[in-house]
Amino acid sequence: DGPGGSQLPLNMEVIASDADYSKFTLTGAGITASATVNSKATLTLEARDVYGNFKKDRGNLVNDIIDGISQTIYSDDALLMEESTIQEHSVTFDSATGKYTIEYTPSVIGYMETALNIRGVDIANSPFQQEIVAGAISASYTRASGPGIVGGSLGIQTYIAIDPRDASDFLVTAGTSASSFEVTVTTTAGSIIQSGQKNYQSGPTWDKSSRVYRFEYMIEGSTDATVTVDIAYDSEAIAGSPFSNIPISSSVSTDVDEKRCVISGPGIT
């Protein structure tokens, strides 16, 4: 009480206390979600007080962030085999939101460790670990291998390994695009080995251990045949397709033909 009578209710502003670097939060591609190789990734850095409350920053930490961020990409999730270190970072400050934006571009796939230290203090949850993944499958970079495009024998199942690649020629290992591939096998007479016929063809299906899409087919008959295989992704032919003049023999030889031997797998692709 005092002169003028009661002043209730009172309107008061509650503000964040002083900034605490150890409470700062970092989010975005490569931190809270995977990032895509050869694509610009964006991170958001928010200032926080000692209690974790958001605090609009004044924008005087740009150089400290550039000096304090480090990002290393490893080939394994145990972070033992170093592949690349990201050297260039663009840091900007938005005075309207009071937040910092960090941009970078990873150049290889793998597992990335990101650490951010501001004036000698690690921010909350630093260092971070996240995967760098390949981009979308590109038909022109995707290739096929295996005996199914080299030659085979009548009545014996053969296979084709489809190696999915993005536009930067990195292996796409998501394994979720089987339905986007179309494989058509045509014999000399022009007949098509229909999908779904028992013991004739199956796939493509994702082979997690080999990291390829596997397609199998078999031609039955009593005379030699020549086969053409068309492989498309989203209606676009993959590299090398169509594969023509594939011999399917009526006889099975026990001799090794070096010209028809094939080698495939992630170790050479």
Side-chain angles (χ1 to χ4, degrees), residues 91-147:
V91 180
T92 56
F93 176 73
D94 186 337
S95 59
T97 64
K99 301 177 183 180
Y100 296 90
T101 296
I102 305 170
E103 294 181 331
Y104 69 97
T105 303
S107 59
V108 297
I109 61 175
Y111 297 87
M112 183 174 69
E113 182 180 64
T114 298
L116 179 54
N117 180 291
I118 299 177
R119 297 181 179 178
V121 179
D122 290 331
I123 70 166
N125 300 314
S126 177
F128 308 86
Q129 182 179 336
Q130 190 58 256
E131 188 175 7
I132 307 298
V133 299
I137 293 176
S138 169
S140 59
Y141 281 86
T142 294
R143 42 192 179 263
S145 61

Side-chain angles (χ1 to χ4, degrees), residues 33-259:
S34 60
T36 302
V37 67
N38 288 332
S39 295
K40 183 181 292 185
T42 301
L43 305 177
T44 300
L45 179 67
E46 295 185 356
R48 303 273 172 171
D49 69 8
V50 66
Y51 303 104
N53 298 307
F54 171 72
K55 180 180 178 65
K56 289 184 68 173
D57 204 64
R58 293 172 296 178
N60 60 337
L61 297 176
V62 170
N63 290 331
D64 296 284
I65 295 168
I66 293 174
D67 292 339
I69 190 169
S70 64
Q71 293 181 298
T72 304
I73 302 175
Y74 299 83
S75 61
D76 62 307
D77 58 4
L79 307 184
L80 297 176
M81 300 180 64
E82 182 176 329
E83 289 286 332
S84 174
T85 299
I86 297 175
Q87 301 289 347
E88 297 184 7
H89 298 89
S90 170
V91 180
T92 56
F93 176 73
D94 186 337
S95 59
T97 64
K99 301 177 183 180
Y100 296 90
T101 296
I102 305 170
E103 294 181 331
Y104 69 97
T105 303
S107 59
V108 297
I109 61 175
Y111 297 87
M112 183 174 69
E113 182 180 64
T114 298
L116 179 54
N117 180 291
I118 299 177
R119 297 181 179 178
V121 179
D122 290 331
I123 70 166
N125 300 314
S126 177
F128 308 86
Q129 182 179 336
Q130 190 58 256
E131 188 175 7
I132 307 298
V133 299
I137 293 176
S138 169
S140 59
Y141 281 86
T142 294
R143 42 192 179 263
S145 61
I149 60 171
V150 178
S153 300
L154 292 171
I156 296 180
Q157 197 90 352
T158 188
Y159 75 91
I160 300 169
I162 303 172
D163 185 28
R165 298 275 170 165
D166 70 4
S168 298
D169 202 24
F170 285 107
L171 180 65
V172 182
T173 59
T176 58
S177 301
S179 62
S180 297
F181 283 100
E182 182 181 357
V183 183
T184 305
V185 181
T186 309
T187 64
T188 308
S191 62
I192 297 176
I193 311 303
Q194 297 293 333
S195 175
Q197 286 184 310
K198 186 177 181 181
N199 298 325
Y200 279 79
Q201 78 173 44
S202 63
T205 56
W206 177 246
D207 185 335
K208 186 176 181 180
S209 61
S210 298
R211 299 194 298 177
V212 296
Y213 288 96
R214 186 180 176 97
F215 175 82
E216 298 181 349
Y217 74 93
M218 179 176 66
I219 306 253
E220 286 189 341
S222 58
T223 58
D224 292 355
T226 301
V227 163
T228 296
V229 176
D230 292 271
I231 305 176
Y233 179 78
D234 277 347
S235 301
E236 181 182 349
I238 70 167
S241 182
F243 303 92
S244 305
N245 300 316
I246 304 168
I248 306 296
S249 174
S250 58
S251 60
V252 178
S253 174
T254 58
D255 297 329
V256 175
D257 184 347
E258 294 87 350
K259 294 181 180 179

